[in-house]
């Protein structure tokens, strides 16, 4: 019975994706045996936590019940009061937790407080499923950097563009809808200067292009919040700060923030021109690509960015791979053949020397997306 209800709580937790970050996605179920008397999930950043939502539904029936929650309840005053106090006041008899919370102000303190109040606490139930929901939050909390999602579209022969650089459109409209949905739940979308110059992208999540009807709710089934849940910062790796002032990224910087990542060698006049156009310019200290990537991720972590979508091009993706900083991959394989030695492949950089060093997806998911094959999953560690 514990596993059954915890799986329910995990499913509920996923509904907060894109809405709650940098807070964790959390789900909660309150039950008397097989009978569920309350359920909830963290719906939006700053809003009630999952436990509070579930208790509001359960009301008096919470007394003597078992609460299943995917993450250790908070025991500190943040944007909301401590969940532990509400749990104790409600008369919960038993608490079942999937994962402890490494956040320094919790870190076992919630469990200790509940046990001191006489509540039976069991941890580690469906821990793998609970951790899968929490991994971006855990990455930010434990490693102080965002979770990195790499995405690309390619042909059957592994090309992301023709030899002339043309890439619109390799993937199907259905695949591009999925990309807009991904963009709508991340904090940052990153490309290199080459992609910014060649494609002149907007890098925004558009409702119409995501194939979403707001009348039918949003992807996280959160009817009380708008889609897209997040307005991502558009990030361009541009060592010389040469992003064109007439580009869509710059001209639309009032609609969504633009962060240009430049090197120390970037001309001052280039930086000032971009700043005058409404862009932020942030300079790395190192001149080495992998170290620049690490510096940038540390800075984004300082800004509390939880999820970063890296859309390319091949040199940028190669830099992330060489640095060992890709956590999740989304690939769209179109039934097309481009050919040509000079046509680029998705990931450049140094690459690995041996097959045993390759990035491998943990339980990859393969599905149809229009005429494309959509393959996605997290990197096995």
């Amino acid at each position: 019975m514990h596993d059954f209800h915890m799986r329910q709580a995990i499913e509920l937790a996923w509904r907060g994706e894109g809405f709650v970050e940098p807070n964790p996605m959390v789900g909660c179920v309150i039950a008397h045996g097989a009978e569920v008397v309350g359920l909830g999930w963290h719906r939006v950043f700053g809003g009630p936590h999952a436990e509070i939502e579930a208790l509001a539904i359960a009301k008096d029936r919470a007394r003597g019940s078992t609460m299943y929650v995917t993450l250790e309840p908070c025991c500190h005053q943040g944007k909301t009061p401590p969940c532990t106090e509400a749990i104790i006041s409600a008369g919960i008899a038993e608490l079942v937790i999937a994962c402890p919370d490494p956040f320094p102000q919790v870190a076992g303190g919630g469990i200790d407080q509940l046990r001191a109040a006489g509540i039976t606490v069991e941890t580690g139930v469906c821990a793998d499923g609970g951790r899968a929901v929490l991994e971006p939050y855990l990455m930010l909390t434990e490693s102080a950097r965002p979770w990195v999602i790499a995405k690309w579209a390619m042909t059957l022969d592994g090309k992301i563009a023709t030899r002339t650089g043309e890439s619109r459109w390799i993937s199907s409209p259905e695949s591009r809808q999925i990309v807009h949905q991904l963009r709508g739940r991340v904090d940052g979308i990153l490309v290199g200067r080459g992609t910014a110059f060649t494609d002149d992208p907007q890098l925004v999540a558009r409702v119409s292009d995501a194939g979403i009807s707001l009348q039918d709710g949003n992807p996280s089934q959160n009817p009380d919040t708008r889609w897209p849940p997040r307005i991502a910062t558009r990030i361009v790796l541009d060592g010389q700060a040469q992003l064109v002032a007439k580009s869509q990224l710059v001209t639309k910087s009032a609609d969504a923030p633009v962060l240009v990542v430049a090197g120390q060698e970037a001309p001052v006049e280039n930086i000032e021109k971009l700043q005058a156009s409404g862009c932020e310019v942030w300079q790395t200290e190192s001149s080495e690509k992998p170290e620049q990537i690490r510096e940038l991720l540390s800075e984004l972590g300082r800004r509390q960015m939880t999820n970063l979508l890296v859309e390319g091009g091949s040199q940028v993706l190669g830099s992330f791979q060489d640095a060992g900083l890709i956590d999740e991959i989304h690939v769209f394989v179109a039934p097309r053949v481009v050919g040509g030695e000079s046509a680029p492949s998705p990931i450049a950089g140094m690459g690995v020397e041996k097959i045993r060093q390759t990035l491998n997806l943990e339980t990859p998911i393969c599905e149809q997306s229009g005429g494309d094959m959509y393959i996605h999953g997290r990197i096995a560690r």
Side-chain angles (χ1 to χ4, degrees), residues 110-129:
I111 293 172
D112 291 343
Q113 193 176 109
L114 293 165
R115 283 176 173 159
I119 297 174
T120 301
V121 180
E122 181 176 349
T123 62
V125 174
C126 298
D128 288 346

Side-chain angles (χ1 to χ4, degrees), residues 189 191-192 195-197 200-204 234-236 243-254 256-258 277 279:
I189 303 168
V191 297
T195 297
F197 177 78
D200 191 22
Q202 293 185 49
L203 301 180
V204 294
R234 287 89 55 78
I235 304 168
V236 183
L243 187 61
V244 180
K246 293 183 179 180
S247 67
Q248 293 195 88
L249 287 169
V250 176
T251 58
K252 297 181 185 299
S253 59
V258 176
S277 300
C279 300

Side-chain angles (χ1 to χ4, degrees), residues 188-192 203 235-237 296 308-312 316 320:
I189 303 168
L190 184 146
V191 297
L203 301 180
I235 304 168
V236 183
L237 298 184
L296 172 61
L308 174 68
L309 179 62
V310 180
E311 294 203 16
V316 170
F320 273 85

